[in-house]
Every structure is written in C-alpha cells, then in structure tokens.
Amino acid sequence: MAEVGAHLTAAPAGGDRPSVFEAVAQDSLMAAVKPALQHLVKVLAESNPARYGFLWHWFDEIYVLLDLLLQQHYLARCSASFSENFYSLKRIPVGDGRQQPLATAGLPKRQHWKSLLLLVLVPYLKGKLEKLVSSLREEDEYSIHPPSSSWKRFYRAFLAAYPYVNMTWEGWFLIQQLCYILGKAQHHSPMLKLAGVRLVRLTAEDIQALEKKWAETTSSQTHRY
C-alpha cells in the first residue's frame, strides 16, 4: 500500500534531486523501525518467556531476514528501499545518460544486489559490532580475564580504538551530507555511492505506473480467491 498512499509526502517539484531533509528523513524512518519492533518483542518475551523468548534471543537474525525480504520486495517493485519509496524517491544508476527508467522497471542486477546488501547487511553488522563492544566493556569492568592475558590486551586495544573508528564512520556520513547540501556530491550517503546509485524524486509517470501495478496485483489476488 505504501507504493500508492505514501506519495502524499512528496515535496513540490523542483528538479529530480531530493532535498537533504527528504534524504535524511527516509534514513531516520528505517532507523526508527528496529528499536520500536525490538521494544515490542521485549515486552512479549517478558510477558511470556516460554512462547516468545526465542524471538528476543534471535531478534537480530529474525529482523535481518524480515528486512531482507522487505527491501528485496521494494527494490524489485519500486527501485527503492521501503523508506525511500515512502518519501516518493527511487534509485537510478549513476552515470546513466539515458532517459530515467520507470520505478516499476527495477534496477540493473548489479546495482540491485549491491543496494540490497548495503541496505541490510551493513546495519546488521554495525549492530553486532556495537553489542560486541558493549560486551567487551562489561568483561573489562568485571576483569573476567587475567590482567596479563593476551586476549585482554587485545580487546583493551580494540576498545581504545573503537571510538575513533566510530567517529571516522560518522564523520564520513556527515561530510557526505555536507557535500550533498553544497551541491558537490550526487549522494547524501556513502552507501548510495558504494551501490552505484543516486536518489531522485518519483515522476508523475512513475506514480501512475506504480498505481497501475498495485491495481493489477490487487485485482489478480482478488480473482484468485
């Protein structure tokens, strides 16, 4: 349903390039989904551990699988991630001088799979790394390993370096956004650059094609039942 109804959030036409507010807003939408769902699963697990405890234990893996299916669906049908489509945006290959294909045409295979992996795998690995850092800090605080052990020296060095690595990562995104605001970059996010795509607003033809495809899908499902 998001393919049709969510286009009410589209900004007035002023070129196909989305504003930085649109670009960052769609990033924030997807970032807010996981904590909300995680809180719901935690409440369920605490209320009935026998039935829902496994959801909490395997939450990251279940979520990444659901995210994979969701993003695959929207990339294939709308040439966009779920949140990008919600804000009436689509992905097109960088450097393609031809006329923009309709959103329903999907991305070329190379850009499609790179987009899917970067949308799903990078947040998953980043979340796992943050949990590992938190766990190592607890170990360091309670001195589980002897002070002279090589493992303790290693993870203390890792913990000391992590804030700088994280700062570099966040700085990379910030610099990319600043370049985008100043018109010096086609992408507001390094992930888009790595995927070889850029974001553009949906055109009237895109919206008509999406509405037609949604109507055809709904009609076929109705006739089936």
Side-chain angles (χ1 to χ4, degrees):
M1 191 65 185
E3 289 95 328
V4 180
H7 304 302
L8 295 174
T9 59
D16 65 355
R17 187 177 184 270
S19 70
V20 70
F21 301 106
E22 292 173 287
V24 172
Q26 65 83 21
D27 283 338
S28 300
L29 173 62
M30 210 60 215
V33 170
K34 185 175 181 179
L37 189 59
Q38 193 170 27
H39 178 72
L40 175 61
V41 169
K42 184 178 181 180
V43 171
L44 288 174
E46 289 177 346
S47 64
N48 193 334
R51 177 172 293 184
Y52 302 113
F54 78 97
L55 291 176
W56 178 250
H57 182 72
W58 296 104
F59 176 80
D60 288 339
E61 286 67 32
I62 294 172
Y63 180 83
V64 78
L65 177 60
L66 294 176
D67 192 28
L68 179 69
L69 296 173
L70 179 70
Q71 304 300 358
Q72 165 63 17
H73 171 80
Y74 276 90
L75 283 170
R77 290 175 60 89
C78 312
S79 303
S81 69
F82 167 76
S83 57
E84 289 162 358
N85 178 254
F86 187 86
Y87 280 91
S88 298
L89 305 175
K90 69 176 181 179
R91 296 178 174 219
I92 62 171
V94 171
D96 192 345
R98 298 171 298 174
Q99 185 178 1
Q100 290 184 18
L102 291 175
T104 50
L107 290 166
K109 283 187 178 181
R110 181 180 179 85
Q111 283 82 2
H112 176 97
W113 291 113
K114 286 172 72 174
S115 293
L116 186 62
L117 288 175
L118 290 168
L119 280 167
V120 177
L121 192 60
V122 170
Y124 172 74
L125 293 178
K126 189 172 185 294
K128 284 295 187 183
L129 181 60
E130 288 171 352
K131 286 190 174 183
L132 175 62
V133 169
S134 178
S135 174
L136 290 176
R137 282 175 177 159
E138 287 185 9
E139 286 189 17
D140 188 50
E141 182 178 348
Y142 291 102
S143 299
I144 295 175
H145 298 283
S148 59
S149 70
S150 57
W151 167 244
K152 188 157 189 176
R153 288 196 299 271
F154 169 77
Y155 78 66
R156 277 188 169 176
F158 172 74
L159 290 177
Y162 178 76
Y164 299 100
V165 173
N166 189 56
M167 183 173 63
T168 302
W169 175 267
E170 298 296 336
W172 187 25
F173 279 75
L174 178 59
I175 291 170
Q176 190 71 38
Q177 288 179 8
L178 289 174
C179 290
Y180 186 77
I181 292 170
L182 297 173
K184 303 296 184 182
Q186 298 184 67
H187 322 83
H188 79 286
S189 167
M191 297 298 102
L192 291 172
K193 188 173 183 178
L194 291 174
V197 297
R198 67 184 182 93
L199 291 181
V200 296
R201 293 195 181 106
L202 292 176
T203 63
E205 291 78 12
D206 286 320
I207 295 174
Q208 289 173 0
L210 288 169
E211 288 174 344
K212 182 179 179 182
K213 191 169 187 177
W214 173 256
E216 289 173 352
T217 302
T218 305
S219 177
S220 65
Q221 290 176 348
T222 301
H223 291 154
R224 186 182 304 170
Y225 296 105

